[in-house]
Amino acid sequence: AIDPAEALDGGSGVAADAAALVIEAMSARPELAALQQRSDGITARLDAIATWRKPMVSVASGYDVAHPNPRIFPRQSKWDDSFDISLNVVWQIWDSGRAVADRTEALANQTVLRERKSEVESQIQADVRKQLVELATSRAALSPARLALASAQETRRVVRDRFEAGVGTTLDLLDAELAEMQAELDRTRVLADIRLNEPRRTRVLGR
C-alpha cells in the first residue's frame, strides 16, 4: 500500500489576472534585475566618458611642521610651520579618438542589453500565460476524469454483481477492474498536474 504525504484533491488556487502575474514576474525575475544592473553600469560608464572631454580642476593643500623646514630659506635650526595651496587644471583636448570609440562601444552594448531585456520580458509574459493555460486545461480535465472514474466504478459494480450471479465471466470482471484502475490513474494524473502547478508558478513568477 502507498500512503501519500498529502492529498492531491484541493490544489492551491491561483490568481486569474494574467496582467497582475506578469507585473509580479517582471519585478521579481532575477535575470531582468541582472540586465538592469548591467544597463545601469553602462549608463555610468557613458557619464564617465563624457567627463573625459571636459576640463578637470583639482585643488590641493598641505600644512607641514619641520625642524628645519626645507620650505623656508635660509634654513634655520628650529621648528617652523608652512602651508601650501595648489590649483591644477587638466584638459584633454585630443585623445586620438579614444573617447569616441569608447562611447560608441558603450552605446552598442547598451543597445544589445535593451534588446536582450525586451526578449526576456516577452519570454516572461509567454511563460506566465502558458502556465495559466496549462492550469486551466488541467482544471477543465478534472471534472471529466472524475465522471469517468465514477462511471468505471459503477460498471465494475454491475459486472461484479453479474459475476456473483453466475451470468458474467472472470474476463469481464478483470476488464472492468482494469478500466476502473485506468480511470483512477487518469484522475490522479490530472490532480498531480494541478498540484505541480504551485512550484511551476513559483519558478515563473521568480518567487
Side-chain angles (χ1 to χ4, degrees), residues 20-126:
L21 292 178
V22 168
I23 294 175
E24 179 182 351
M26 292 291 185
S27 61
R29 290 284 285 265
E31 55 266 45
L32 271 183
L35 289 175
Q36 184 60 46
Q37 290 179 355
R38 291 178 60 185
S39 179
D40 294 341
I42 292 179
T43 301
R45 185 185 179 194
L46 286 172
D47 294 339
I49 292 174
T51 61
W52 294 351
R53 308 187 68 176
K54 298 179 182 179
M56 293 181 290
V57 180
S58 61
V59 179
S61 63
Y63 178 78
D64 187 25
V65 177
H67 182 287
N69 194 326
R71 298 189 178 188
I72 296 179
F73 185 81
R75 294 188 178 184
Q76 301 179 14
S77 181
K78 64 177 183 177
W79 289 97
D80 286 310
D81 58 350
S82 62
F83 68 90
D84 65 274
I85 299 177
S86 61
L87 177 66
N88 299 319
V89 179
V90 178
W91 194 353
Q92 188 172 316
I93 299 177
W94 185 68
D95 61 356
S96 301
R98 177 182 176 183
V100 176
D102 290 344
R103 184 174 185 275
T104 302
E105 179 186 5
L107 288 175
N109 291 334
Q110 191 176 54
T111 301
V112 171
L113 282 179
R114 187 182 303 113
E115 295 299 325
R116 175 58 179 162
K117 183 179 179 182
S118 177
E119 178 184 358
V120 172
E121 289 176 348
S122 299
Q123 184 62 47
I124 289 176
Q125 293 182 17

